[in-house]
Amino acid sequence: MPYAFEIYKDRAGEFRVRFKAPNGENMFASEGYASKAAANNLIRSVLKNGPGAAIIDSTKAVKAAKSAKNAKKKKTA
């Protein structure tokens, strides 16, 4: 099975999208949408905008902020 988007209905009756790997593992899932058309729009948007999307690594910013905070604590101690 190739990579695939799967639209499904959750227990609350909302439409959600899962992106599945070839081994069947869920790679990510969307929020719930009231209509199937909205779920399809999400897929179209990811396909259109995803390839050029930036990668934002928030872990680096968190690490830098923690390091600065720890350095400040050491100076005051």
Side-chain angles (χ1 to χ4, degrees), residues 11-48:
R11 290 182 182 168
E14 292 184 316
F15 293 93
R16 293 181 179 263
V17 176
R18 286 189 274 238
F19 186 67
K20 301 188 90 152
N23 65 1
E25 182 180 342
N26 293 331
M27 296 182 71
F28 71 81
S30 73
E31 64 184 346
Y33 292 94
S35 70
K36 194 176 200 178
N40 273 307
N41 286 339
L42 166 69
I43 294 169
R44 281 195 282 284
S45 177
V46 170
L47 291 171
K48 177 183 174 190

Side-chain angles (χ1 to χ4, degrees), residues 59-70:
T59 61
K60 288 182 181 180
V62 170
K63 229 183 225 184
K66 284 183 180 178
S67 294
K69 188 176 180 181
N70 289 339

